[in-house]
Amino acid sequence: MNAHFPTSSKSFPMMPADLLKSFEVHYRGTFQDSKEIKVGNVVRLTYKVQEGEKERIQTYEGLIIAKQNRGLGESFLLRRNVQGVGVEQVFLLNSPKILSVIKKQESKVRRAKLFFTRRLSRKAARVKLANFA
C-alpha cells in the first residue's frame, strides 16, 4: 500500500489513537454501506469460513438484534434458531470475510437492542413488518 497518512505537526510521532483516526478517515466509504443494516431487519449474510487449509462459503440468515457503530469497527449481532435452539453471532461489518449482506425483510421496531427476543419463542419472537407505503 502506498497510502500516505498525515503525521502530527510537531516532531513527535503520532499517537495510536490519532493513527487509527486518520486510517478511518482515509478508508471511509470503501467498505460496505451500513445504511441497509438496521436493528430489526432479517438479513442473509454470506461469508467465508476457514477450516484448516480449506475455505468454504456459508450463509447465515437471521434477525439483527443489536448494532454497534464504531467507525471501521462497526459490528452487528445476528440471531437465528437452529433446531429450536437460539444461536447468536457477532459479525464485523467491514470484515473482508463477509461477501454479501442481503436484506430479506424490514421490520418496525421501537428499541435499539432487541435482547428481549431471547426469552421469546416461535410466534412470539416475530417482529412487526415495516409498512412500505
Side-chain angles (χ1 to χ4, degrees), residues 1-62:
M1 290 175 34
N2 294 337
H4 175 69
F5 297 111
T7 57
S8 70
S9 59
K10 298 180 182 177
S11 62
F12 299 109
M14 289 184 72
M15 299 299 290
D18 296 334
L19 185 64
L20 185 62
K21 195 171 284 187
S22 67
F23 180 80
E24 286 183 1
V25 168
H26 186 266
Y27 284 101
R28 186 169 304 163
T30 59
F31 297 106
Q32 293 194 19
D33 191 17
S34 65
K35 292 177 184 173
E36 66 187 31
I37 296 177
K38 295 180 183 174
V39 174
N41 288 353
V42 176
V43 296
R44 175 174 283 164
L45 182 88
T46 307
Y47 66 103
K48 294 184 213 172
V49 177
Q50 188 79 26
E51 291 179 343
E53 295 179 8
K54 293 184 179 181
E55 198 171 75
R56 66 180 176 87
I57 296 174
Q58 182 172 345
T59 59
Y60 196 96
E61 186 171 339

Side-chain angles (χ1 to χ4, degrees), residues 2-127:
N2 294 337
H4 175 69
F5 297 111
T7 57
S8 70
S9 59
K10 298 180 182 177
S11 62
F12 299 109
M14 289 184 72
M15 299 299 290
D18 296 334
L19 185 64
L20 185 62
K21 195 171 284 187
S22 67
F23 180 80
E24 286 183 1
V25 168
H26 186 266
Y27 284 101
R28 186 169 304 163
T30 59
F31 297 106
Q32 293 194 19
D33 191 17
S34 65
K35 292 177 184 173
E36 66 187 31
I37 296 177
K38 295 180 183 174
V39 174
N41 288 353
V42 176
V43 296
R44 175 174 283 164
L45 182 88
T46 307
Y47 66 103
K48 294 184 213 172
V49 177
Q50 188 79 26
E51 291 179 343
E53 295 179 8
K54 293 184 179 181
E55 198 171 75
R56 66 180 176 87
I57 296 174
Q58 182 172 345
T59 59
Y60 196 96
E61 186 171 339
L63 175 70
I64 297 175
I65 63 171
K67 185 177 175 192
Q68 309 224 332
N69 300 313
R70 294 190 203 113
L72 291 180
E74 192 172 356
S75 64
F76 56 95
L77 182 61
L78 208 58
R79 179 176 175 84
R80 71 175 180 169
N81 283 331
V82 179
Q83 297 179 354
V85 178
V87 177
E88 294 179 1
Q89 192 166 353
V90 176
F91 291 99
L92 289 171
L93 182 64
N94 298 317
S95 172
K97 295 202 176 258
I98 293 182
L99 300 176
S100 67
V101 179
I102 301 169
K103 181 170 51 172
K104 301 286 284 184
Q105 174 182 325
E106 191 171 332
S107 303
K108 179 182 176 186
V109 294
R110 297 171 64 176
R111 302 279 179 269
K113 310 284 187 215
L114 303 179
F115 296 139
F116 66 90
T117 59
R118 291 174 176 165
R119 65 179 178 267
L120 302 176
S121 63
R122 297 199 176 119
K123 224 173 183 182
R126 291 188 302 184
V127 289

